[in-house]
Amino acid sequence: MSRRKKKDDKGAIEVIEEAIHLLRLSPIHLLITYYTGTLPFILGLLYFWADMSRNAYAAKHCASASFALALSFLWMKCWHSVFCLHVRAQVSNTLAQGWSPLRIIRLVAIQTIIQPSGFFLLPIALLFTLPFGWVFAFYQNVFQQQYNEQLNIKKVIKQSLHQARLWPGQNHILLAIFFIFSIFVFLNLGIMIYIIPYILKKFLGIETMFTLSGVSIFNTTFLAATCAITYLCMDPLIKTVYALRCFYGTSLQSGEDLKAELKSMSPSTKVMASLFVFLLWAALPGSLIAGGQTEMKAHDPSQYQAVLCPEELDRSIEEILTWPEFAWRMPREKDRREGLNILNPFKVFLEWIEPIVKKIIRPIVKLSKKIWDWLKKLFPEINREKEVSNTGWMTGIQGLLFVLLCLIACTLVVFIRRIWLSRRTSQFAVAVSETSAMPDLRDDRINADELPVDRWLALAKELIDQGSLRLALRAIYMATLAHLAKQKMISIAKYKSNRDYELELAKRAREKKELLILFSMVVMRFDRAWYGMYTITMEDVNLFFSDYERITVFA
């Protein structure tokens, strides 16, 4: 039950972080699959854009070029579906299915029928603003189909619509984050494309057409190329996020996430779980099985008909209905007395809640009025009847201020939600029990929050006795991270590296210079010992122990 609740409460930031971590751990052929389908369409679109806008004879081959671009679009959508299916297989810890000729035909047919309609429905939904989130999610969910023998167009649409209706708040927050982040990516890429030719000219003396063009470089081709590169950077993350959403959505019915966790369990854990189930079954008394068979025999309708008569059955029902636990089913008698007026409970509730609501609403109304007056002063109305020469740039400044205020507000909302989610996660975090299985220190995916500090130290001492100094050193390092997390100086997450922990500690404990220097030395020694070919001695382990004790003093 707790597992299901945690999954349903998964926030947008958490899904994005999980998708980024998934892409970082993915093999290179996964991105090759995506860009094999996407690059031909992007290059063809840029060529088509430049050719149709500048070629004097573009009208002669417009039809053939448009047909080739449409084929490349379908090619891209089919490969996007293959990419999403590989992501789903990686999340569920299974092997991707092979591509038979019939499965390829279903893939091409479904994507050809459904995806082109997005050219019309997505802009229409964007005009109305609100339905855009569901429509966009629907077209992303179409990529997640398995293309088995029972699949048809009606079933694809039904499943995609069902997935699009799940967690609408999370979906719209994801779109807002992607939109804001895409703007920053677009601006960074545009600045980089514009500055690189001037850097080459400054340091290497290379003159290019970009440096000769000056501000003329900012044309429609420049805009299209920057948008295309932004799409290539952002779309794999978007596809991975919606693949995770579909994975969690289907897991509500199929339990696919639980199966994936069972597959990722170590063999020793599986043996212990199987032994526990066997011992639990063996501990059941044999009378339960016999009692179950007797109970099934006792529920034979013919026996009831032979033993009970209708009069006794009616009397038993009336007697049971008089019990207190069934009194709520009885109709409530109206209490009407002479000269007594029973108060309306709804009216009493309104009279009680009215002064409370007024106390809450009045400060909000006053604050809203002050903000509105401030905005009116910030954006004064322009008298259109008077011809003023500086009206144009004043309007531009006002528009720029409005956009900046919107971006600041969105950033604050995301930041506050991130803080709220991190606080809620820290409140509900519990220590691992004493009877839990020891984590495998050879696995790079383990976290420091899987065991408390004293268990990590005990495990380190056991490994020292066994002669595994390298694993003992990592156990001490995990104890160090667990202690810092317990002191609220860092937060443990799977996607964070040692450098991330070092930067996070520098932000939260910037006044403790000795702690920062000491932790940096610990990270440097651990990286050299764990990832390098350095031979670990008992002296290194003792030094790590002393560094841990000094960190506990400073922290």
Side-chain angles (χ1 to χ4, degrees), residues 16 54 86 126 188 195 199 249 386 475 488 495:
I16 293 177
R54 289 174 173 79
H86 280 284
L126 187 59
N188 287 329
I195 289 179
I199 294 176
K386 298 180 180 181
K488 308 297 183 182
Y495 61 89

Side-chain angles (χ1 to χ4, degrees), residues 72-109:
S72 64
F73 173 79
L74 297 177
W75 168 271
M76 178 182 69
K77 293 301 178 183
C78 293
W79 279 100
H80 283 179
S81 184
V82 175
F83 170 79
C84 293
L85 291 178
H86 280 284
V87 172
R88 287 285 299 274
Q90 185 175 352
V91 174
S92 59
N93 201 12
T94 58
L95 295 176
Q97 298 182 12
W99 290 97
S100 62
L102 289 177
R103 195 160 181 249
I104 294 175
I105 292 173
R106 292 192 195 95
L107 165 67
V108 176

Side-chain angles (χ1 to χ4, degrees), residues 15-61:
V15 174
I16 293 177
E17 290 176 346
E18 189 174 351
I20 294 175
H21 182 66
L22 185 64
L23 287 176
R24 288 173 60 184
L25 297 179
S26 299
I28 189 64
H29 69 79
L30 187 64
L31 291 178
I32 292 176
T33 301
Y34 175 83
Y35 288 112
T36 299
T38 310
L39 283 177
F41 173 75
I42 295 298
L43 295 177
L45 178 63
L46 293 177
Y47 178 80
F48 182 83
W49 182 288
D51 187 58
M52 292 296 116
S53 59
R54 289 174 173 79
N55 193 347
Y57 304 100
K60 294 183 179 180
H61 56 272

Side-chain angles (χ1 to χ4, degrees), residues 80 215 218 236 264 276 385 502 536 547:
H80 283 179
V215 294
F218 297 106
S264 61
F276 175 75
E385 296 179 357
E502 192 173 354
I536 302 173
D547 290 340

Side-chain angles (χ1 to χ4, degrees), residues 432-439 451-460 475 479:
V432 180
S433 62
E434 294 292 332
T435 58
S436 60
M438 290 295 181
L451 290 177
V453 178
D454 54 347
R455 293 294 305 281
W456 283 120
L457 295 176
L459 179 60

Side-chain angles (χ1 to χ4, degrees), residues 320-359:
I320 291 174
L321 287 177
T322 58
W323 292 359
E325 54 264 33
F326 298 105
W328 63 274
R329 292 182 175 270
M330 302 298 291
R332 181 176 297 176
E333 296 182 0
K334 296 182 180 180
D335 188 6
R336 297 187 179 276
R337 301 178 183 177
E338 296 181 359
L340 181 61
N341 294 326
I342 300 177
L343 294 175
N344 188 351
F346 185 70
K347 183 178 179 182
V348 174
F349 174 74
L350 289 179
E351 292 177 354
W352 173 75
I353 201 68
E354 182 179 1
I356 299 176
V357 173
K358 287 183 179 180
K359 290 181 181 179

Side-chain angles (χ1 to χ4, degrees), residues 189-223:
L189 289 174
I191 294 172
M192 183 183 68
I193 295 173
Y194 180 76
I195 289 179
I196 285 178
Y198 287 93
I199 294 176
L200 295 177
K201 179 182 177 181
K202 178 71 175 178
F203 293 100
L204 301 178
I206 301 175
E207 191 79 40
T208 61
M209 60 178 297
F210 299 101
T211 56
L212 295 175
S213 300
V215 294
S216 300
I217 191 176
F218 297 106
N219 49 33
T220 56
T221 304
F222 174 84
L223 178 65

